[in-house]
Amino acid sequence: MTLPYRDINVHVAAESYTFTSPSSPNAPALVIDRPTGDVRLSETASVNTKRVARVSSIAGILGLIQLRLDKYAIVITKAQPVGRLKGHMVYKVISTDFLPMRERQIHDPDEDQFLFLLKSYIMNGPMYFSYSIDLTNSFQRQASIDNSAPLWMRADDRFFWNRFVQSDLIDFRKMGSRSQQGPQPAADPFILPVIWGTMEIRPTKFKGTPLTIVLITRKSRYRAGTRYFTRGLDEEGHAANYNETEQVVVLNDAGGGLGGYAGSTDMQSGKFGASDGREMQIMSYVQTRGSVPVYWSEINALKYTPKLQVRGIETAFSAAKKHFDEQIRIYGDNYLVNLVNQKGREKRIKEAYEQMVKMLLGSKTETVNKDLLTDEKFRVIEPTTAKQEFDRLHYVYFDFHHETKGMQMHRAMMLVDRLQDALIAQQYFRGVDMPANGGLETRNFQTSVVRTNCMDSLDRTNVVQSMLARWTLDRIFVDLGLLQRGETFATADPAFEFLFRNLWADNADTVSKAYAGTGAMKTDLTRLGKRTKQGTFQDGNIAVTRYYLNNFRDGPRQDAYDLFLGAYEPSAANIGSSLIFADRRPILIQSIPYILAFSIFFVFLGLFSKRLPDSTVLPMRLFILFWLVVGGWCLNFIIQNGMLFVNWPKLNPRPWAIEGYQETIGKIRKGKVVGSFVAGHERGLSTARYLNAEEGKKRIE
């Protein structure tokens, strides 16, 4: 079994970067030639130390990325241990460095912006890796995988976050180069898979029994993006904000701490500690979340509630089939829990989802539960036969907001009660560690999965997922004999209850920050078990912050995702010599926010300036009135033409954003006040760049 090197030295020279492992002195070195960026293997003895300018120690190679003018090797310069999973150390990426292929770097506005996007939004993200255990796969999938394959080959392609930037190394490993043709297995130890998401490993005790509780969330690299710029499905069936969350309990974990390598003579094994004779047991429970699987979007225009756009259900049918085909193949039966509102603007999303489920199922039954308070407490769509693949879909609708309004969050447990039969049949994964073959022996399988969503698949989804995890954890403890039937860990061990709540609340914040830019709402319910006034105030603060970020900051963040994950490739985009990030709006349009700011400044200046005792009041009043009128006009213009002032993604502009821009600018041209100025100073949008960017969007690995 080939594992990644945990100790790598990079030798920096004018003609190359050479990567060697001190713990494997006889192994070939990886060489990246400068300035071409070509990859090859070389015997370590051939490294010319006289030409080496410096030698640095790194934790691993994140990948290689080609930007507009140069290629860069991204290396992990610092990694922090976060805990041991089944005895294997897991690390968080703390800092990275970009090594340019050109010895004298060329400064270009677009190149600098590309680097800024990657360093600001991606490199600071929650990325985790291990040298010796596969973090991309759930324990159930790990139990059925050939452990003799290199770590990167075993990785789940959906959660191999740095897969695109590892393409050069993987292609070299598979096919070699012009000078070294054929497979190159010696490159395997340099390829390090990384996940993005949550990794919480907490050794603890439950009622005096030592155990380790682990919470892992893996964010999909497909259709990754920000809240209002990435919704629904793409043509390949990948859902926006798709995450897999796995809750793990490890019993008899001999290496659950942060200790050294006691009990292991092989540093490369990564395994810590020796067994005391008791079997290490792994119990895990997997859930998924993802955007509503139809074609839909929300269009920012500076309104607090964006305009909702849902395309025809028939057009998304093929993409939905691909999505659920993969879900069923990986997880078995899917219980589709939909938490959007049954009234208002979200009603269209609810109806679209239900139409899609009905199209996918062969024969089905539909039942609606109601009471005096609501006409639709639950809506369940179930298959009546099992003749085709999609008859393994089970749709359950629950109006979360309506049922829990007035801080009655305990009513959300009605959903768990409604799903109880499915949860009992679903079970959970249970495996026993087998040190002899390095794998897991399966004792019990999880046979289905609950796929939860709300509009953002964040706040309501977080609450429901934590409730399902709680129910399953109670069941695991009962099966282990740690709880009596009917007893709950919340009452049996308050300290463990506190730990559980905070694990899930921290997970909610991590998932939310990646998609919406802020922490999650309703975390007071997750942390405290009830809604509080302080939590409601915090949710209001989060809502305002999200409004600002989603309108004015998420464009660059979406560009960063597209750049790192390969949805946009600067080297392949036919953009000519024009600057990609240049603001191409008419000068007058760009200036209006600044005029508004000056107007506010002058109004305050007039209001708070000291006047001489004998000065007349009228001129100052006219001054203030003039700037009030100017400021009011500017504010009204911005509100009425919000599409022009949203910070849109520039690498892969959304089609509806282009249409909205053209429609708004056309309306302004016809206006009497500024129409002639806009028409005379219009610099236009680069339509060719937009079309090429849309093509580049499809070039994802």
Side-chain angles (χ1 to χ4, degrees):
M1 177 171 60
T2 304
L3 297 174
Y5 292 134
R6 62 177 59 247
D7 56 333
I8 296 179
N9 287 341
V10 54
H11 306 257
V12 180
E15 67 277 1
S16 67
Y17 293 110
T18 304
F19 299 86
T20 62
S21 173
S23 63
S24 303
N26 298 322
L30 181 75
V31 180
I32 303 176
D33 290 324
R34 303 175 69 184
T36 61
D38 292 337
V39 179
R40 59 186 172 88
L41 290 171
S42 172
E43 296 301 323
T44 53
S46 65
V47 177
N48 191 337
T49 55
K50 293 183 179 179
R51 295 190 176 186
V52 173
R54 72 176 191 274
V55 180
S56 302
S57 177
I58 62 173
I61 303 172
L62 195 63
L64 295 165
I65 190 166
Q66 174 70 55
L67 299 182
R68 189 176 185 184
L69 299 178
D70 198 4
K71 181 179 280 189
Y72 301 82
I74 310 174
V75 296
I76 303 169
T77 54
K78 185 178 180 181
Q80 176 183 333
V82 295
R84 292 188 178 275
L85 190 58
K86 216 181 67 163
H88 302 271
M89 184 63 82
V90 177
Y91 299 87
K92 182 178 183 180
V93 176
I94 299 298
S95 63
T96 57
D97 195 11
F98 285 70
L99 306 178
M101 293 301 115
R102 296 179 186 270
E103 189 173 6
R104 300 187 66 178
Q105 191 174 354
I106 299 174
H107 286 285
D108 169 81
D110 282 346
E111 191 85 355
D112 293 343
Q113 182 65 13
F114 284 138
L115 289 169
F116 171 79
L117 291 174
L118 292 172
K119 292 177 181 178
S120 301
Y121 297 107
I122 302 298
M123 299 307 140
N124 293 329
M127 294 186 285
Y128 299 88
F129 67 91
S130 175
Y131 298 110
S132 51
I133 189 170
D134 180 9
L135 300 182
T136 66
N137 277 295
S138 67
F139 278 101
Q140 181 161 312
R141 294 197 296 274
Q142 287 183 45
S144 59
I145 291 176
D146 179 13
N147 285 321
S148 63
L151 197 62
W152 71 269
M153 286 188 180
R154 289 181 259 154
D156 188 317
D157 185 65
R158 299 171 299 162
F159 308 122
F160 190 165
W161 183 254
N162 58 327
R163 174 63 178 79
F164 173 73
V165 294
Q166 288 280 7
S167 296
D168 282 5
L169 294 181
I170 291 174
D171 291 345
F172 172 72
R173 162 62 178 88
K174 290 179 178 178
M175 299 175 290
S177 61
R178 284 176 293 181
S179 60
Q180 297 174 320
Q181 297 182 357
Q184 304 291 325
D188 285 331
F190 294 99
I191 303 174
L192 182 66
V194 168
I195 67 167
W196 175 295
T198 298
M199 177 62 67
E200 297 282 355
I201 305 173
R202 303 291 178 88
T204 184
K205 289 184 177 182
F206 177 70
K207 295 178 66 176
T209 301
L211 55 82
T212 302
I213 185 166
V214 183
L215 192 61
I216 308 171
T217 289
R218 308 172 178 96
K219 183 176 179 65
S220 173
R221 69 186 184 94
Y222 292 108
R223 199 158 175 74
T226 59
R227 187 183 178 206
Y228 286 144
F229 297 142
T230 311
R231 295 289 208 188
L233 296 178
D234 64 14
E235 293 177 354
E236 299 303 314
H238 302 125
N241 196 26
Y242 184 86
N243 292 265
E244 176 189 81
T245 299
E246 182 177 20
Q247 177 179 270
V248 185
V249 175
V250 184
L251 208 59
N252 303 327
D253 187 0
L258 288 172
Y261 292 91
S264 174
T265 57
D266 180 11
M267 186 179 181
Q268 277 302 119
S269 74
K271 193 70 180 287
F272 167 70
S275 172
D276 60 359
R278 294 178 296 173
E279 290 182 330
M280 183 190 295
Q281 297 188 54
I282 311 289
M283 282 71 65
S284 87
Y285 179 64
V286 170
Q287 303 179 67
T288 63
R289 76 173 78 197
S291 190
V292 173
V294 295
Y295 288 156
W296 66 286
S297 59
E298 287 186 285
I299 303 173
N300 298 32
L302 299 189
K303 302 289 193 296
Y304 182 75
T305 304
K307 180 183 177 183
L308 185 63
Q309 187 180 80
V310 183
R311 288 171 57 185
I313 305 304
E314 294 78 10
T315 59
F317 183 64
S318 175
K321 285 178 67 176
K322 292 177 183 177
H323 176 72
F324 286 115
D325 175 71
E326 180 182 64
Q327 296 304 294
I328 292 169
R329 175 173 49 83
I330 295 173
Y331 300 107
D333 282 46
N334 273 233
Y335 289 85
L336 313 177
V337 174
N338 186 9
L339 304 173
V340 304
N341 296 341
Q342 60 176 298
K343 295 180 180 178
R345 61 191 298 272
E346 296 185 11
K347 181 180 179 181
R348 293 176 60 197
I349 293 296
K350 171 184 178 293
E351 292 175 343
Y353 197 171
E354 289 170 358
Q355 289 177 42
M356 181 61 74
V357 172
K358 291 175 184 177
M359 289 177 64
L360 288 167
L361 294 179
S363 58
K364 62 264 181 187
T365 59
E366 185 172 357
T367 58
V368 178
N369 297 95
K370 58 183 180 180
D371 58 19
L372 296 175
L373 298 176
T374 176
D375 292 333
E376 190 174 342
K377 185 185 295 290
F378 291 103
R379 180 180 292 268
V380 179
I381 304 174
E382 287 274 11
T384 56
T385 61
K387 294 181 179 179
Q388 57 146 347
E389 176 191 15
F390 298 114
D391 288 334
R392 302 183 71 180
L393 300 178
H394 313 265
Y395 175 86
V396 180
Y397 170 74
F398 178 67
D399 191 342
F400 184 95
H401 275 161
H402 186 273
E403 294 298 329
T404 60
K405 67 181 179 181
M407 296 191 179
Q408 299 187 70
M409 285 297 172
H410 62 279
R411 291 175 61 84
M413 282 302 295
M414 291 189 298
L415 176 61
V416 179
D417 295 338
R418 180 64 184 79
L419 291 169
Q420 186 158 348
D421 290 343
L423 295 175
I424 292 171
Q426 180 182 75
Q427 304 184 69
Y428 56 88
F429 171 78
R430 184 172 184 174
V432 175
D433 188 37
M434 305 298 290
N437 57 22
L440 287 171
E441 181 180 290
T442 303
R443 300 290 171 86
N444 195 66
F445 285 105
Q446 180 178 335
T447 59
S448 63
V449 74
V450 178
R451 182 197 190 275
T452 310
N453 73 270
C454 47
M455 284 295 281
D456 300 325
S457 299
L458 294 178
D459 311 315
R460 287 168 275 184
T461 298
N462 293 327
V463 174
V464 168
Q465 285 201 337
S466 68
M467 288 179 171
L468 296 174
R470 173 185 295 278
W471 188 94
T472 304
L473 192 54
D474 278 334
R475 180 184 182 184
I476 290 173
F477 285 157
V478 169
D479 291 346
L480 290 173
L482 299 177
L483 286 177
Q484 298 295 321
R485 192 167 300 278
E487 193 180 8
T488 65
F489 68 78
T491 56
D493 192 332
F496 185 84
E497 162 75 0
F498 179 80
L499 173 61
F500 174 87
R501 287 189 179 282
N502 282 279
L503 280 177
W504 275 95
D506 291 343
N507 174 67
D509 286 338
T510 300
V511 175
S512 181
K513 285 175 183 175
Y515 192 53
T518 70
M521 295 184 181
K522 300 180 178 65
T523 51
D524 56 333
L525 175 63
T526 311
R527 293 187 192 278
L528 305 175
K530 60 182 179 180
R531 288 249 65 183
T532 62
K533 291 182 179 179
Q534 182 181 355
T536 304
F537 176 79
Q538 181 183 353
D539 286 357
N541 182 43
I542 289 173
V544 172
T545 306
R546 283 184 181 177
Y547 171 81
Y548 169 74
L549 294 175
N550 298 160
N551 282 283
F552 304 114
R553 298 292 298 275
D554 275 359
R557 203 156 61 92
Q558 180 68 55
D559 286 337
Y561 280 129
D562 289 343
L563 188 61
F564 184 79
L565 299 174
Y568 177 88
E569 298 182 53
S571 59
N574 183 20
I575 55 175
S577 59
S578 62
L579 296 176
I580 302 169
F581 297 101
D583 191 342
R584 302 183 181 281
R585 296 174 300 169
I587 295 294
L588 180 61
I589 302 297
Q590 295 182 45
S591 65
I592 286 176
Y594 298 99
I595 297 173
L596 174 61
F598 276 115
S599 300
I600 295 171
F601 171 75
F602 284 132
V603 168
F604 278 101
L605 187 67
L607 289 172
F608 296 104
S609 294
K610 291 184 178 180
R611 293 189 295 271
L612 295 174
D614 57 345
S615 63
T616 57
V617 178
L618 183 61
M620 182 58 70
R621 287 180 175 175
L622 291 175
F623 176 83
I624 293 172
L625 181 62
F626 172 78
W627 286 110
L628 275 173
V629 171
V630 172
W633 182 88
C634 290
L635 182 62
N636 181 67
F637 184 90
I638 291 171
I639 293 172
Q640 294 300 319
N641 303 283
M643 291 286 291
L644 303 180
F645 298 96
V646 172
N647 193 351
W648 300 102
K650 292 182 170 61
L651 301 185
N652 285 332
R654 278 37 186 168
W656 34 264
I658 302 171
E659 294 169 6
Y661 176 91
Q662 299 292 0
E663 180 182 341
T664 307
I665 206 75
K667 181 179 68 175
I668 292 173
R669 282 200 193 114
K670 297 174 183 177
K672 295 180 181 179
V673 180
V674 298
S676 58
F677 296 100
V678 172
H681 295 85
E682 173 67 88
R683 296 190 292 168
L685 289 173
S686 176
T687 306
R689 178 171 66 84
Y690 282 147
L691 293 175
N692 287 322
E694 284 299 308
E695 291 175 8
K697 185 179 178 182
K698 299 175 183 177
R699 298 192 195 101
I700 190 166
E701 275 293 310

